[in-house]
Amino acid sequence: MDADSLLLSLELASGSGQGLSPDRRASLLTSLMLVKRDYRYDRVLFWGRILGLVADYYIAQGLSEDQLAPRKTLYSLNCTEWSLLPPATEEMVAQSSVVKGRFMGDPSYEYEHTELQKVNEGEKVFEEEIVVQIKEETRLVSVIDQIDKAVAIIPRGALFKTPFGPTHVNRTFEGLSLSEAKKLSSYFHFREPVELKNKTLLEKADLDPSLDFMDSLEHDIPKALVPSLAYSPSILIPELPFFQDGRRM
Amino acid sequence: MGDLPPYPERPPQQPPNRRTSQASQRQHSQDQVQPPAADPEEGQQIAPDARRNAPGWSQRGSLSQQESLLMPRAFQAEEAQMGSMEYPSMNTGFPLEFQPQAYSDESRIQAAELTTSLMQRLQQGQSSLLQQLDSTFPEPPVNPLDPFNLYQTDQFSEGAQHGPYVRDDPAFQFSPSEMGFPHYSAEVPEPEPLELAVQNAKAYLLQTSISCDLSLYEHLVNLLTKILNQRPEDPLSVLESLNRTTQWEWFHPKLDTLWDDPEMQPTYEMAEKQKALFTRSGGGAEGEQEMEEEVGETPVPNIMETAFYFEQAGVGLSSDESFRIFLAMKQLAEQQPIHTCRFWGKILGMNRSYLVAEVEFREGEEEAEEEEVEEMTEGGEVMEAHGEEEGEEDEEKAVDVIPKPVWKPPPVIPKEESRSGANKYLYFVCNEPGLPWTRLPHVTPAQIVNARKIKKFFTGYLDAPVVSYPPFPGNEANYLRAQIARISAATQVSPLGFYQFSEEEGDEEEEGGAGRDSYEENPDFEGIPVLELVDSMANWVHHTQHILPQGRCTWVNPLQKTEEEEDLGEEEEKADEGPEEVEQEVGPPLLTPLSEDAEIMHLAPWTTRLSCSLCPQYSVAVVRSNLWPGAYAYASGKKFENIYIGWGHKYSPENFNPALPAPIQQEYPSGPEIMEMSDPTVEEEQALKAAQEQALGATEEEEEGEEEEEGEETDD
């Protein structure tokens, strides 16, 4: 959620039970302001929190002018000092997929994973057990990336694309009407479109190229359920996965 | 005079005066052309006319005179000759941008030349006039043009070929030919014929209807905009109704908020219900007496205080939701005979969530409902008994003894009594504060056992079926109750020493080491320092009984026969006795510290935190379960509390895989009594039939032979 509207968004997202204690909230507000100034981001979003055994990670993301450009991810253990995380690569994701269980809470912790690798020595083929060490930081990066790709959604109309390329926040967006908010088709995945090219021409004819440039949630399997909105739906919800608690994998 | 070619090029919005000047121009040509031989005469005629009027043309006023002079002649013109033949002659009179037509007659060129200069002046004179008229003319209204319709339709009825010009639909009253005008300015670029046709069409559409202010053009615009915005599935079929609604909307603008109300109703209803929470029960305030009464004890705990502490820990619902929950629990306390109650937590569901209250009734209050439930189950058992007896009788009568299935359903483990074990507390749920509370039924061991095998998200509706494998015995209310029981048993913790065992020696001997199931508060509890609570898990203990694999907290031997079972088929049961000997299941006793809890994949099952690391002297110790994500407990001084806010599922490092269905059961084993063979195929049957017929034929012959013999014998 946007650093500017952090308190309000936290109130609204409190239905699931996850919240922030007052001291964390206060420190978040101040430190996110400083992060925005230091790294010269256009917007800083509080992504969420990943629970670990020893400590919890608080994650923030910084965006530049173009909303769809890859975001910089930062993490902090105490909500005051933030460190930049490296961008996620496919190798990292593949590597960390073998690690299961909870996060430790220590970014330098290394998971050990034994793999059987075939080593060719001349004519013989050995199977050696190789212990692969995966740093928790890598795992953190890949988990955040996967969650973003899978779950980050944004309502239709909140961003628009100009012919020059960059995506902008739509200042005239006032929220979805109640009937629109109940439909899955009015939400998009907040990432580069994957399925858009596969649409038939008939479907594409209905799309508005300045607004419909991301994948819609309609065709996702399993189907997401749109929760009944107890609060007024006229609020921009850029980051819904606030309820992640590090128990993925 | 080039009427036609200039016509498509001129803008359609022409003042009526232009038409008259058009007519005048046409008349000019007519006058010129009709008696070609009399050209010089006409030229003379026109010339004095023109000359006479030329000075007048520079004045605006005289133009009308000219028109009025020419008008009567216009109407008497021979229509037949008002063909396109004349227009090109007009055209040639204007050597400006006009393109001479293919069929321009040379003979007319000479005549036209005379009028060239005149027409030029006419054009210029008109241009100023036209420009003035143009500025004041918003739309071409119908009526002023009407007088000329007749004229134009007559012209139109000629149906003369105008060659390269775009012809509109004859149904249109205006054609580009009549709307054209000599150019009033050399600088205006000539529009394409197509463009002019389009503009003419648009002008037609823009005319307003006689009965109202709406023009067809605007209506079509509204209609198409509406269709494009809404994008209905089959627009053609709904076109009629859309047409009606669009028209209706134009005349009934949305001044009132009728459209907004239906959308807002769900939230309005919710707010109404919640408003009822805020009103005090028992009428309005009557002064101090009421205040004193209410200050007395209520069974409802101080939820706001609990919420505050949990907020320090970073857990919990927002403060206004907590307050509403407090009011809802107060309402519950007024409706039900409650001895103690506690806010257990919130279980999230797909559509709606559940707020759960843990309640203990006053003595003797709840038995009425329990009896009803028991009667139902007893009735069921009796029915089954009868069924078995009848089955036995039928079997004796049947010729072919169907082998009886060897499988017997495992004995039903009786559920625990109220106020003991897993059913120690009663649970009430509601979806939102303000909605009525529903009581959850007691949980049976079978339900707990099955709940351990499945993992389904809650939908939010208590009567929703739980479709799963292995099949869950019950609906969502039962599943919810089973999960609540499991969570309570696993995650209700308290600081060491808060509870102690009640000191009765008799309990210990009777139970035989199965564990005590009652505790009481320790009045001497002084609280453990927060730092110690956070450091070691041994300072926390479970204060709910562990649920055995059987599904109960106290073990029951399932093979113990009740009286009913002994009355029924004793014979069968004797045969089946023996093979199963169940071991007594033992679980950790009550009040075991958390440090004894099993690990999950080499990770501690509980995590402790200080709520605020910056000020440890005021912070609160928080314990978080790793096995049941969402279960929290806090302790500070002498206070502690548990809460669960989550989806209601256990943590598993692997993704959930539903149980596979059981392998296909064997049918009856082949034996001497029953043998399984494949059915004969059609060919085999036919072959058999043929063979039988042959055999029959053979025997018939023999029989006939015999019968003949017999017949002979009898005859004899």
XYZ file of all heavy atoms in Angstrom, chain B residues 518-574:
469
model
N -9.700 -31.215 34.704
C -10.259 -29.995 35.275
C -9.143 -29.206 35.924
O -8.161 -29.759 36.402
C -11.343 -30.330 36.292
O -10.753 -30.964 37.410
N -9.307 -27.953 35.909
C -8.313 -27.092 36.521
C -9.032 -25.880 37.057
O -10.197 -25.640 36.768
C -7.239 -26.701 35.504
C -7.818 -26.146 34.222
C -8.197 -24.812 34.117
C -7.996 -26.963 33.118
C -8.736 -24.321 32.954
C -8.523 -26.471 31.957
C -8.894 -25.158 31.872
O -9.434 -24.665 30.723
N -8.323 -25.139 37.800
C -8.933 -23.926 38.303
C -7.874 -22.847 38.345
O -6.675 -23.112 38.266
C -9.496 -24.156 39.702
C -8.417 -24.527 40.693
C -8.970 -24.794 42.058
O -10.186 -25.011 42.170
O -8.185 -24.767 43.013
N -8.347 -21.668 38.493
C -7.406 -20.565 38.531
C -6.612 -20.569 39.821
O -7.132 -20.871 40.885
C -8.169 -19.243 38.410
C -8.500 -18.912 36.977
C -9.049 -17.514 36.864
O -8.565 -16.636 37.616
O -9.946 -17.306 36.049
N -5.421 -20.189 39.674
C -4.547 -20.140 40.835
C -4.633 -18.748 41.447
O -4.227 -17.772 40.828
C -3.113 -20.437 40.373
C -2.144 -20.468 41.523
O -2.515 -20.261 42.677
N -0.896 -20.743 41.202
N -5.132 -18.654 42.611
C -5.269 -17.302 43.187
C -3.939 -16.685 43.553
O -3.840 -15.476 43.703
C -6.133 -17.535 44.435
C -5.942 -18.975 44.761
C -5.656 -19.700 43.492
N -2.932 -17.517 43.676
C -1.640 -16.967 44.089
C -0.765 -16.622 42.913
O 0.421 -16.372 43.080
C -0.891 -17.987 44.957
C -1.723 -18.380 46.146
O -2.473 -17.514 46.640
O -1.630 -19.550 46.569
N -1.315 -16.641 41.741
C -0.491 -16.400 40.569
C 0.000 -14.968 40.582
O -0.787 -14.024 40.724
C -1.306 -16.674 39.307
C -0.562 -16.435 38.045
C 0.553 -17.187 37.717
C -0.953 -15.442 37.170
C 1.238 -16.973 36.546
C -0.276 -15.224 35.995
C 0.821 -15.989 35.675
N 1.290 -14.822 40.401
C 1.832 -13.473 40.460
C 2.377 -12.988 39.143
O 2.980 -11.938 39.069
C 2.962 -13.435 41.494
C 2.432 -13.367 42.905
C 3.576 -13.342 43.867
O 4.736 -13.318 43.402
O 3.321 -13.343 45.065
N 2.246 -13.740 38.150
C 2.719 -13.259 36.866
C 4.195 -13.528 36.666
O 4.986 -13.474 37.594
N 4.518 -13.837 35.462
C 5.916 -14.106 35.118
C 6.419 -12.912 34.335
O 5.703 -12.375 33.484
C 6.005 -15.383 34.257
C 5.363 -16.548 34.986
C 7.436 -15.700 33.909
C 5.384 -17.829 34.209
N 7.617 -12.490 34.578
C 8.141 -11.343 33.827
C 8.148 -11.634 32.331
O 8.368 -12.749 31.892
C 9.573 -11.181 34.331
C 9.663 -11.978 35.566
C 8.530 -12.923 35.623
N 7.893 -10.594 31.606
C 7.702 -10.735 30.170
C 8.924 -11.319 29.500
O 8.838 -12.163 28.606
C 7.340 -9.357 29.582
C 7.498 -9.347 28.102
C 5.935 -8.981 29.974
N 10.068 -10.912 29.946
C 11.270 -11.412 29.294
C 11.405 -12.911 29.470
O 11.833 -13.628 28.573
C 12.501 -10.694 29.852
C 12.583 -9.233 29.412
C 13.720 -8.529 30.117
C 12.763 -9.143 27.913
N 11.038 -13.368 30.634
C 11.124 -14.818 30.835
C 10.110 -15.544 29.983
O 10.364 -16.637 29.477
C 10.877 -15.145 32.308
C 12.074 -14.887 33.189
C 11.781 -15.298 34.607
O 10.990 -16.259 34.796
O 12.315 -14.654 35.520
N 8.976 -14.944 29.830
C 7.960 -15.585 29.000
C 8.448 -15.734 27.577
O 8.158 -16.704 26.889
C 6.678 -14.753 28.991
C 5.751 -14.897 30.193
C 4.610 -13.926 30.072
C 5.238 -16.307 30.308
N 9.172 -14.735 27.140
C 9.620 -14.765 25.757
C 10.780 -15.732 25.583
O 10.924 -16.361 24.547
C 10.024 -13.343 25.317
C 10.724 -13.378 23.983
C 8.811 -12.466 25.241
N 11.586 -15.861 26.609
C 12.786 -16.681 26.453
C 12.489 -18.151 26.356
O 13.033 -18.835 25.497
C 13.707 -16.456 27.663
C 14.551 -15.226 27.447
O 14.738 -14.862 26.270
O 15.006 -14.645 28.431
N 11.640 -18.620 27.217
C 11.523 -20.072 27.287
C 10.090 -20.494 27.088
O 9.166 -19.901 27.620
C 12.009 -20.544 28.665
O 11.386 -21.742 29.000
N 9.938 -21.541 26.329
C 8.598 -22.059 26.094
C 8.085 -22.835 27.283
O 6.914 -23.180 27.330
C 8.588 -22.985 24.866
C 8.873 -22.302 23.567
S 7.966 -20.770 23.349
C 6.329 -21.330 23.562
N 8.930 -23.122 28.213
C 8.450 -23.906 29.361
C 7.576 -23.074 30.268
O 6.921 -23.603 31.164
C 9.643 -24.450 30.138
N 7.552 -21.794 30.039
C 6.733 -20.946 30.887
C 5.290 -20.876 30.433
O 4.473 -20.186 31.012
C 7.311 -19.525 30.904
C 8.550 -19.458 31.760
O 8.618 -20.101 32.800
N 9.534 -18.693 31.325
N 4.995 -21.528 29.330
C 3.625 -21.551 28.849
C 3.114 -22.977 28.908
O 3.860 -23.919 28.646
C 3.551 -21.087 27.404
C 3.983 -19.664 27.176
C 5.254 -19.206 27.021
C 3.138 -18.542 27.054
N 5.267 -17.866 26.818
C 3.962 -17.422 26.817
C 1.763 -18.356 27.118
C 3.449 -16.148 26.646
C 1.252 -17.083 26.936
C 2.104 -15.983 26.708
N 1.857 -23.137 29.213
C 1.284 -24.474 29.265
C -0.027 -24.487 28.489
O -0.711 -23.472 28.363
C 1.029 -24.938 30.716
C 2.319 -25.055 31.469
C 0.078 -24.000 31.403
N -0.336 -25.681 28.006
C -1.661 -25.876 27.403
C -2.680 -25.999 28.504
O -2.461 -26.724 29.468
C -1.684 -27.192 26.625
C -0.907 -27.147 25.354
N -1.391 -26.586 24.221
C 0.317 -27.622 25.054
C -0.498 -26.709 23.256
N 0.557 -27.348 23.739
N -3.797 -25.358 28.356
C -4.833 -25.600 29.341
C -6.080 -26.217 28.725
O -7.164 -26.168 29.301
C -5.176 -24.313 30.115
C -5.717 -23.231 29.230
N -4.960 -22.158 28.874
C -6.922 -23.049 28.666
C -5.678 -21.361 28.106
N -6.879 -21.885 27.962
N -5.946 -26.781 27.536
C -7.051 -27.578 26.998
C -6.535 -28.971 26.743
O -5.349 -29.186 26.472
C -7.574 -27.019 25.673
O -6.461 -26.593 24.898
C -8.513 -25.878 25.903
N -7.437 -29.896 26.780
C -7.030 -31.279 26.631
C -6.667 -31.580 25.199
O -7.306 -31.131 24.258
C -8.169 -32.193 27.074
C -8.152 -32.444 28.567
C -9.251 -33.393 28.938
O -10.372 -33.235 28.520
N -8.903 -34.390 29.726
N -5.678 -32.395 25.081
C -5.265 -32.843 23.757
C -6.288 -33.827 23.209
O -6.846 -34.633 23.947
C -3.900 -33.519 23.917
C -3.405 -34.144 22.668
N -2.817 -33.428 21.659
C -3.426 -35.424 22.260
C -2.482 -34.242 20.685
N -2.832 -35.461 21.026
N -6.515 -33.781 21.925
C -7.481 -34.701 21.326
C -6.725 -35.917 20.818
O -5.780 -35.811 20.035
C -8.224 -34.028 20.167
C -9.020 -32.842 20.700
C -9.167 -35.011 19.509
C -9.891 -32.206 19.675
N -7.171 -37.073 21.263
C -6.499 -38.306 20.879
C -6.785 -38.619 19.421
O -7.722 -38.084 18.838
C -7.002 -39.440 21.769
C -6.804 -39.194 23.272
C -7.607 -40.191 24.061
C -5.336 -39.297 23.621
N -6.014 -39.524 18.852
C -6.304 -39.915 17.465
C -7.708 -40.461 17.291
O -8.265 -40.432 16.201
C -5.261 -41.003 17.179
C -4.160 -40.725 18.121
C -4.758 -40.097 19.332
N -8.266 -40.959 18.389
C -9.613 -41.489 18.303
C -10.620 -40.399 18.013
O -11.688 -40.654 17.479
C -9.932 -42.146 19.645
C -11.129 -43.026 19.634
C -11.409 -43.539 21.021
O -11.365 -42.811 21.995
N -11.685 -44.825 21.108
N -10.294 -39.163 18.415
C -11.238 -38.081 18.216
C -11.843 -37.591 19.512
O -12.703 -36.732 19.522
N -11.440 -38.158 20.571
C -11.945 -37.734 21.875
C -10.767 -37.346 22.750
O -9.628 -37.610 22.432
C -12.664 -38.897 22.549
C -13.956 -39.309 21.948
C -14.417 -40.560 22.638
N -14.420 -40.379 24.089
C -15.543 -40.271 24.809
N -16.700 -40.302 24.217
N -15.470 -40.128 26.115
N -11.124 -36.754 23.858
C -10.060 -36.432 24.807
C -9.848 -37.553 25.801
O -8.742 -37.785 26.269
C -10.407 -35.159 25.569
S -10.429 -33.741 24.483
N -10.887 -38.250 26.138
C -10.748 -39.411 27.026
C -11.005 -40.634 26.184
O -11.937 -40.700 25.397
C -11.758 -39.353 28.164
O -13.047 -39.125 27.599
C -11.419 -38.231 29.116
N -10.229 -41.610 26.440
C -10.265 -42.741 25.528
C -11.440 -43.652 25.842
O -11.813 -43.866 26.990
C -8.956 -43.510 25.634
C -8.840 -44.570 24.619
C -8.567 -44.415 23.308
C -9.024 -45.963 24.828
N -8.546 -45.613 22.669
C -8.834 -46.585 23.591
C -9.334 -46.755 25.940
C -8.943 -47.944 23.417
C -9.435 -48.105 25.770
C -9.249 -48.711 24.517
N -12.029 -44.187 24.803
C -13.136 -45.130 24.978
C -12.833 -46.345 24.132
O -12.470 -46.245 22.964
C -14.467 -44.486 24.521
C -15.459 -45.527 24.089
C -15.041 -43.642 25.638
N -12.960 -47.490 24.731
C -12.717 -48.713 23.986
C -13.893 -48.964 23.060
O -15.001 -49.212 23.517
C -12.546 -49.880 24.973
C -12.035 -51.108 24.254
O -12.024 -51.167 23.031
N -11.598 -52.085 25.032
N -13.687 -48.948 21.772
C -14.819 -49.062 20.869
C -15.444 -50.445 20.867
O -16.557 -50.626 20.413
C -14.231 -48.740 19.498
C -12.787 -49.064 19.637
C -12.422 -48.778 21.046
N -14.708 -51.428 21.375
C -15.272 -52.765 21.293
C -16.155 -53.084 22.467
O -16.749 -54.143 22.523
C -14.137 -53.798 21.219
C -13.352 -53.749 19.931
C -12.329 -54.848 19.896
C -14.273 -53.861 18.737
N -16.260 -52.212 23.365
C -17.175 -52.482 24.473
C -18.579 -52.428 23.940
O -18.995 -51.453 23.353
C -17.006 -51.412 25.544
C -15.843 -51.677 26.460
C -15.699 -50.517 27.418
O -16.490 -49.581 27.366
N -14.708 -50.576 28.281
N -19.297 -53.502 24.198
C -20.617 -53.535 23.594
C -21.606 -52.877 24.518
O -21.596 -53.096 25.712
C -21.022 -54.983 23.377
C -20.147 -55.636 22.359
C -20.423 -57.105 22.222
C -19.259 -57.742 21.524
N -18.750 -58.880 22.210
N -22.472 -52.134 23.924
C -23.571 -51.610 24.725
C -24.678 -52.632 24.731
O -24.640 -53.630 24.046
C -24.097 -50.302 24.129
O -24.601 -50.597 22.830
C -22.977 -49.305 24.030
N -25.672 -52.399 25.507
C -26.742 -53.368 25.640
C -27.467 -53.595 24.334
O -27.827 -54.705 23.986
C -27.731 -52.898 26.696
C -27.130 -52.890 28.069
C -28.150 -52.432 29.079
O -29.298 -52.178 28.670
O -27.800 -52.363 30.258
N -27.674 -52.598 23.616
C -28.424 -52.753 22.364
C -27.734 -53.706 21.426
O -28.342 -54.546 20.799
C -28.598 -51.399 21.676
C -29.571 -50.523 22.399
C -29.731 -49.218 21.655
O -29.354 -49.165 20.477
O -30.223 -48.271 22.247
N -26.472 -53.549 21.315
C -25.762 -54.378 20.358
C -25.822 -55.842 20.776
O -25.855 -56.744 19.957
C -24.308 -53.932 20.243
C -24.186 -52.623 19.504
C -22.738 -52.219 19.322
O -21.853 -53.009 19.702
O -22.503 -51.135 18.807
N -25.852 -56.064 22.040
C -25.859 -57.454 22.448
C -27.188 -58.097 22.146
O -27.274 -59.282 21.863
C -25.561 -57.534 23.943
C -24.109 -57.274 24.235
C -23.829 -57.322 25.730
O -24.796 -57.485 26.492
O -22.664 -57.206 26.097
N -28.244 -57.319 22.178
C -29.551 -57.903 21.907
C -29.661 -58.355 20.469
O -30.273 -59.370 20.169
C -30.651 -56.860 22.185
C -30.827 -56.679 23.673
O -30.328 -57.554 24.417
O -31.434 -55.682 24.066
N -29.109 -57.598 19.583
C -29.205 -57.947 18.167
C -28.246 -59.087 17.866
O -27.660 -59.664 18.760
C -28.868 -56.736 17.314
C -29.797 -55.554 17.520
C -29.289 -54.385 16.749
C -31.192 -55.919 17.111
N -28.138 -59.345 16.594
C -27.340 -60.468 16.097
C -26.168 -60.898 16.944
O -25.028 -60.555 16.663
N -26.437 -61.660 17.913
C -25.308 -62.134 18.707
C -24.504 -63.127 17.921
O -23.304 -63.262 18.072
C -25.810 -62.801 19.987
C -26.310 -61.807 21.000
C -26.741 -62.503 22.262
O -26.558 -63.742 22.337
O -27.252 -61.829 23.147
N -25.199 -63.852 17.105
C -24.501 -64.922 16.385
C -23.394 -64.355 15.526
O -22.279 -64.844 15.487
C -25.490 -65.677 15.514
C -26.698 -66.123 16.306
C -27.841 -66.437 15.358
O -27.635 -66.277 14.134
O -28.878 -66.855 15.851
N -23.742 -63.298 14.814
C -22.726 -62.773 13.898
C -21.561 -62.210 14.659
O -20.420 -62.362 14.275
C -23.328 -61.678 13.019
C -24.548 -62.140 12.267
C -25.561 -61.019 12.185
O -25.108 -59.855 12.105
O -26.734 -61.300 12.222
N -21.900 -61.554 15.736
C -20.806 -60.867 16.402
C -19.856 -61.861 17.021
O -18.666 -61.616 17.117
C -21.375 -59.945 17.475
C -22.079 -58.771 16.873
C -21.931 -57.541 17.736
O -21.062 -57.561 18.621
O -22.661 -56.588 17.533
N -20.352 -62.940 17.417
C -19.425 -63.897 18.016
C -18.398 -64.325 17.001
O -17.248 -64.561 17.315
C -20.205 -65.122 18.515
C -20.912 -64.883 19.815
C -21.707 -66.092 20.234
C -22.568 -65.748 21.438
N -23.573 -66.789 21.725
